[in-house]
């Protein structure tokens, strides 16, 4: 029965992708199945993405956390966040202000690279990480080049075409561009990215799925939507519609067995988590074939 459903979905997806290419100007040349391996059926194991690296063993968004994530065989993706410094350098950091991590009330955009590099982004996590420094996007991509993981890179807030060009250039220099999926909550950013780098795979982050998110996803040329477990369970038909046209669905940031079970039952393609090793163990016990 499962094989029959898979065949039906594959046929529907192929027809939908053909229609998308023919009818939708600027449709992406890379599809979710190219990046995710395949789209999942209900009950299939989702891929695992480490949230800001592997936060369970090192401070978030640091070289230590990324190294742990890259060396963890359970993870297929590593997620991170990018903001521009005052002097226009893409830096790896999540929060709107630096307060929680460094104690400074300022924002990344308020300081230049030299000033940001003087901040300690590890002491808040524990004594073993005192004097840890904030990495740049270039440093993150250079590290990624030594591994085979795919990268989910969130562009925080709104980005102009000129600002996006800086990030796209860094990705192109790195040699790992085929493994980078850019993501954002900002429609403006995704529209600008669609114009500036139409071939760069991208994902829309959205807290609540509309009943039919397909028109919006096709208009933006995204290959996936990232959303919450609550949104997917409230609108499972939206996930099904996206899969029917070959668009993936990823859920963030899920750290409990209950949430993992809910989204796996619906066929979510990927799970972003702070506890990748725990999720890997749970999938081994609850997803046949993993």
């Amino acid at each position: 029965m499962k094989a029959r459903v898979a065949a039906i979905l594959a046929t529907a997806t192929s027809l939908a992708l053909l229609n998308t290419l023919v009818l939708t100007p600027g449709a992406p040349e890379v599809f979710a199945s190219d990046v995710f391996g395949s789209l999942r059926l209900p009950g299939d194991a989702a891929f695992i993405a480490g949230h800001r690296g592997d936060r369970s063993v090192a401070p978030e968004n640091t070289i230590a956390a990324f190294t742990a994530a890259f060396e963890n065989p359970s993870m297929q993706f590593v997620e991170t966040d990018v903001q521009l410094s005052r002097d226009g350098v893409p830096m790896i950091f999540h929060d709107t202000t630096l307060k929680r991590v460094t104690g400074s009330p300022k924002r990344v955009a308020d300081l230049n690279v030299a000033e940001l590099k003087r901040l300690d982004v590890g002491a808040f996590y524990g004594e073993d990480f005192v004097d840890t420094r904030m990495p740049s996007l270039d440093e993150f991509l250079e590290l990624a080049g030594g591994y085979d993981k795919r990268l989910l890179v969130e562009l925080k807030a709104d980005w102009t075409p000129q600002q996006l060009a800086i990030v796209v250039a860094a990705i192109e220099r790195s040699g790992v561009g085929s493994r980078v999926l850019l993501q954002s909550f900002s429609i403006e950013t995704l529209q600008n990215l669609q114009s500036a780098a139409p071939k760069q795979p991208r994902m829309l982050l959205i807290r609540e799925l509309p009943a039919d998110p397909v028109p919006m996803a096709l208009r933006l040329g995204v290959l996936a939507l990232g959303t919450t477990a609550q949104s997917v369970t409230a609108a499972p038909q939206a996930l099904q519609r996206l899969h029917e046209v070959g668009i993936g669905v990823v859920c963030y940031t899920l750290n409990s067995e209950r949430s993992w079970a809910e989204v796996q039952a619906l066929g979510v393609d990927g799970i972003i988590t702070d506890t990748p090793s725990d999720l890997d163990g749970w999938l081994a016990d609850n997803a046949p074939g993993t």
Side-chain angles (χ1 to χ4, degrees), residues 134-170:
M134 184 187 302
S136 66
L137 176 62
D138 281 335
E139 290 171 309
F140 170 70
L141 294 172
E142 181 180 2
L143 180 66
Y147 301 88
D148 62 356
K149 308 290 191 197
R150 293 186 179 272
L151 313 174
L152 295 175
V153 179
E154 181 180 348
L155 301 163
K156 305 298 291 184
D158 297 326
W159 290 64
T160 67
Q162 294 76 19
Q163 291 171 329
L164 288 170
I166 300 171
V167 171
V168 172

Side-chain angles (χ1 to χ4, degrees), residues 9 42 208-215 225 229-245 247 249 265-268:
L9 283 176
E208 293 185 10
L209 291 174
D212 184 3
V214 169
L225 270 63
Q230 294 88 341
S231 180
V232 170
T233 54
Q237 75 284 355
L239 185 154
Q240 182 179 350
R241 284 284 296 120
L242 289 164
H243 275 184
E244 286 172 354
V245 296
I247 296 173
V249 178
L266 295 173
V268 161

Side-chain angles (χ1 to χ4, degrees), residues 115-276:
E115 292 167 328
L116 290 169
K117 282 291 189 181
R118 286 197 287 270
L119 298 174
D120 189 331
V121 295
F124 82 101
Y125 191 91
E127 293 182 0
D128 291 342
F129 297 97
V130 169
D131 290 333
T132 298
R133 302 305 166 188
M134 184 187 302
S136 66
L137 176 62
D138 281 335
E139 290 171 309
F140 170 70
L141 294 172
E142 181 180 2
L143 180 66
Y147 301 88
D148 62 356
K149 308 290 191 197
R150 293 186 179 272
L151 313 174
L152 295 175
V153 179
E154 181 180 348
L155 301 163
K156 305 298 291 184
D158 297 326
W159 290 64
T160 67
Q162 294 76 19
Q163 291 171 329
L164 288 170
I166 300 171
V167 171
V168 172
I171 293 171
E172 291 176 347
R173 285 195 308 270
S174 72
V176 301
S178 63
R179 294 194 273 125
V180 177
L181 175 59
L182 293 176
Q183 56 184 2
S184 180
F185 282 99
S186 168
I187 298 294
E188 177 184 346
T189 295
L190 289 171
Q191 289 173 331
N192 289 337
L193 185 60
Q194 188 175 23
S195 299
K199 295 183 180 180
Q200 182 66 51
R202 52 198 179 273
M203 178 165 74
L204 169 64
L205 298 174
I206 186 168
R207 291 179 177 85
E208 293 185 10
L209 291 174
D212 184 3
V214 169
M216 173 178 59
L218 294 181
R219 185 171 64 252
L220 292 172
V222 296
L223 58 78
L225 270 63
T227 190
T228 63
Q230 294 88 341
S231 180
V232 170
T233 54
Q237 75 284 355
L239 185 154
Q240 182 179 350
R241 284 284 296 120
L242 289 164
H243 275 184
E244 286 172 354
V245 296
I247 296 173
V249 178
V250 178
C251 279
Y252 65 84
T253 301
L254 311 187
N255 298 322
S256 70
E257 292 187 0
R258 177 179 177 180
S259 62
W260 299 337
E262 286 176 343
V263 299
Q264 177 181 279
L266 295 173
V268 161
D269 302 295
I271 297 173
I272 300 173
T273 182
D274 293 319
T275 57

